[in-house]
Amino acid sequence: LEDRHTSAGSYFFGLSLIGTDSGFGFAAYSLYDLNLRDGSGTYYKEEVKVISLSGAFKLIDQLYPYGGKLSVGITGAKASSFNETDPTILNVDGNFYAVGLKVRALNHHAFKLDLGVNYRFSATLESDSESKSTYFIAVGIPQETAFGAALSYGTEFGLFTLATDYRDTAYDDTTKESDFAIRIPDVTTMNLGLEYAIAQFQLRAGTYKSTYADDTIDGEITGFTAGTGYIIGQFSLETSYDSRTYSYNNPSQKVTTNFYTVSVNMAFL
């Protein structure tokens, strides 16, 4: 398969219950939804769906003056891979887990600084049948380590938040080569975003860049994001825009895709 893919659509549904010292959540979403094209021009649609349960708990309220609040989060999930184009392509599923820590390093008047780390364990996706063949298959959920920081500054003109994170995703260990498959090397991603919030309105903008660990896939992914949010009583309306560019050394292989998202959230309590 050529390394040329675009998102064919995705979804997310979430439900959460948040208390003073703990919170719980349920989510169902599309981890990735790809169109893959082989040398003959045939497309194969590969989708991985995820159902997850998560919990977050406050461990320490304050380690030192003006900061030190420590929380832990745990997630367990089931992932299933489907191919809707060719019924002979293998469908697989498996479970994976993640754990994260967050500390409010600074909580002093107008300034707040949060630091976090998250680790997702790798998991193998297995099939209940050995009789089917496969063209492209990610045979597991890759291990991923992420570090993040967010700095908030509140003024009479609104709340400004600057956030960044670094992610290292180990695709190489969880992709499988076959006659048609491609190997995906490890990927590192840097994100940077800014949010301005005043009253019920939020305005967001950000950028990101993903690079591959070796020249198996020769290029990088860069993107720009923008979004808004508006709170109306118990409801919040969110919109987002994502412009993503797949850049390769061959200029003819440069591909740009645009994503638009609108979501409505409701608080029951």
Side-chain angles (χ1 to χ4, degrees):
L1 292 180
E2 295 182 359
D3 175 43
R4 186 172 299 179
H5 52 276
T6 60
S7 174
S10 60
Y11 64 88
F12 179 90
F13 171 79
L15 182 65
S16 61
L17 178 63
I18 302 174
T20 304
D21 298 325
S22 61
F24 302 90
F26 165 83
Y29 57 95
S30 176
L31 182 64
Y32 56 77
D33 191 357
L34 303 176
N35 283 334
L36 302 155
R37 190 177 74 178
D38 66 13
S40 64
T42 303
Y43 280 89
Y44 302 95
K45 183 178 179 181
E46 185 81 6
E47 181 179 10
V48 173
K49 300 177 181 179
V50 175
I51 297 176
S52 70
L53 294 173
S54 59
F57 310 92
K58 182 174 68 175
L59 299 180
I60 300 173
D61 188 58
Q62 187 170 323
L63 285 173
Y64 48 84
Y66 308 118
K69 181 178 179 179
L70 181 65
S71 304
V72 62
I74 302 171
T75 298
K78 180 179 181 65
S80 301
S81 175
F82 302 92
N83 192 292
E84 301 177 8
T85 307
D86 189 338
T88 66
I89 294 180
L90 203 62
N91 295 328
V92 294
D93 57 43
N95 302 319
F96 67 95
Y97 306 93
V99 62
L101 288 173
K102 187 182 89 168
V103 59
R104 173 145 292 180
L106 178 64
N107 187 15
H108 182 58
H109 301 306
F111 287 98
K112 291 179 174 59
L113 174 63
D114 293 321
L115 304 175
V117 59
N118 187 78
Y119 181 81
R120 183 177 67 199
F121 296 88
S122 61
T124 300
L125 300 183
E126 298 179 347
S127 171
D128 57 4
S129 172
E130 297 180 357
S131 62
K132 298 178 182 179
S133 63
T134 176
Y135 291 102
F136 175 91
I137 193 168
V139 296
I141 301 298
Q143 170 189 311
E144 182 176 86
T145 305
F147 303 91
L151 177 64
S152 299
Y153 177 59
T155 71
E156 59 181 320
F157 305 106
L159 178 66
F160 297 86
T161 302
L162 179 66
T164 184
D165 69 74
Y166 168 86
R167 289 184 288 118
D168 185 2
T169 309
Y171 283 106
D172 194 24
D173 292 335
T174 52
T175 54
K176 176 183 178 181
E177 294 187 29
S178 69
D179 292 339
F180 298 90
I182 57 171
R183 181 181 69 83
I184 303 177
D186 295 349
V187 176
T188 58
T189 302
M190 284 291 300
N191 299 280
L192 180 66
L194 178 66
E195 179 185 81
Y196 170 69
I198 184 169
Q200 289 84 24
F201 181 74
Q202 301 95 39
L203 182 64
R204 309 179 186 96
T207 184
Y208 59 89
K209 179 178 180 180
S210 296
T211 56
Y212 297 101
D214 59 41
D215 58 0
T216 304
I217 300 178
D218 201 3
E220 63 184 23
I221 301 172
T222 56
F224 169 79
T225 62
T228 61
Y230 189 74
I231 300 173
I232 310 171
Q234 290 181 293
F235 295 89
S236 64
L237 176 65
E238 307 282 341
T239 65
S240 66
Y241 168 74
D242 183 348
S243 179
R244 186 175 307 172
T245 300
Y246 302 84
S247 301
Y248 303 90
N249 282 351
N250 185 345
S252 65
Q253 292 184 306
K254 187 173 183 178
V255 179
T256 299
T257 56
N258 299 307
F259 306 89
Y260 305 90
T261 303
V262 177
S263 64
V264 178
N265 306 299
M266 179 180 179
F268 293 96
L269 299 177

